[in-house]
Amino acid sequence: DSGVTQTPKHLITATGQRVTLRCSPRSGDLSVYWYQQSLDQGLQFLIQYYNGEERAKGNILERFSAQQFPDLHSELNLSSLELGDSALYFCASSSGFSGTEAFFGQGTRLTVV
Amino acid sequence: QQQVKQSPQSLIVQKGGISIINCAYENTAFDYFPWYQQFPGKGPALLIAIRPDVSEKKEGRFTISFNKSAKQFSLHIMDSQPGDSATYFCAGRAGSYQLTFGKGTKLSVIP
């Protein structure tokens, strides 16, 4: 158990809908990272938050947004869903210091039908 | 986004053999190079990591070799076991920013 909790584990929704994925980081970790994993693209970085502030942005679509709350949990919002958004979405957390380990959650499997 | 190139895409090794996975990076700001192991349906888990001031790091059957001048690093799994069958990802990281991953290597260890 990495200590990073993601909910829900599975999500099936229709095209055009909006979903929210939730991540609780390890206790004391200030940084949260979101990744998308699809079969042909590997682990793609979406966005990073550090202590409530957006720190880095990767290949995140405009239809997607995220935030980190004062209690450090984070949510990834995906809207106007398309079939191609079906993927595993992982959250990771780290202390926020250079060179420290990032711990991954078990992921949320999103299926858009 | 700076890339990390990983090869091979898949690897089949006999039990007891050596598995070797290679990675090359472009971003000279990377100062931390971890390898993650992922089993189906699970999140990636850190296996072993190295910093660029060290040329080799060994933990049990797992060894990272690092060549800073060539911007390459590799994972060696000695005495490979069927339980090592998983997907392995190399990554690079600059400071406390995000990990940039290679595309992964699916390792199958056959008895």
Side-chain angles (χ1 to χ4, degrees), chain B:
Chain B
Q1 193 174 358
Q2 298 279 357
Q3 287 186 346
V4 176
K5 294 182 180 177
Q6 182 172 348
S7 62
Q9 199 171 357
S10 63
L11 184 60
I12 300 174
V13 173
Q14 286 225 304
K15 180 183 174 182
I18 303 173
S19 304
I20 302 174
I21 305 170
N22 300 299
C23 285
Y25 65 97
E26 299 173 359
N27 188 347
T28 54
F30 285 164
D31 57 4
Y32 176 69
F33 299 88
W35 285 87
Y36 280 79
Q37 179 188 56
Q38 186 180 25
F39 293 103
K42 303 292 185 184
L46 180 70
L47 190 63
I48 186 172
I50 197 168
R51 295 175 201 275
D53 54 349
V54 176
S55 61
E56 186 175 283
K57 183 173 181 180
K58 184 176 180 179
E59 288 184 3
R61 295 184 295 108
F62 302 92
T63 300
I64 300 179
S65 298
F66 188 85
N67 186 330
K68 187 175 180 179
S69 60
K71 292 191 284 186
Q72 295 175 347
F73 58 112
S74 60
L75 175 69
H76 292 63
I77 305 174
M78 311 299 288
D79 187 26
S80 299
Q81 298 297 312
D84 296 330
S85 298
T87 300
Y88 292 81
F89 293 93
C90 63
R93 185 176 180 189
S96 61
Y97 286 92
Q98 73 276 10
L99 291 159
T100 300
F101 285 93
K103 288 198 178 291
T105 297
K106 186 173 182 180
L107 172 65
S108 299
V109 181
I110 55 176

Side-chain angles (χ1 to χ4, degrees), chain A residues 5 13 20 33-35 42 49 56 68 75 78 85 95 100 104:
Chain A
T5 304
T13 189
T20 297
Y33 313 80
W34 286 97
Y35 288 85
Y49 278 82
Q68 186 179 29
E75 293 180 355
L78 315 176
D85 298 326
S95 65
T100 55
F104 281 76

Side-chain angles (χ1 to χ4, degrees), chain A residues 63-76:
Chain A
R63 300 183 285 109
F64 296 180
S65 65
Q67 54 185 344
Q68 186 179 29
F69 294 87
D71 67 353
L72 300 178
H73 91 271
S74 179
E75 293 180 355
L76 179 67

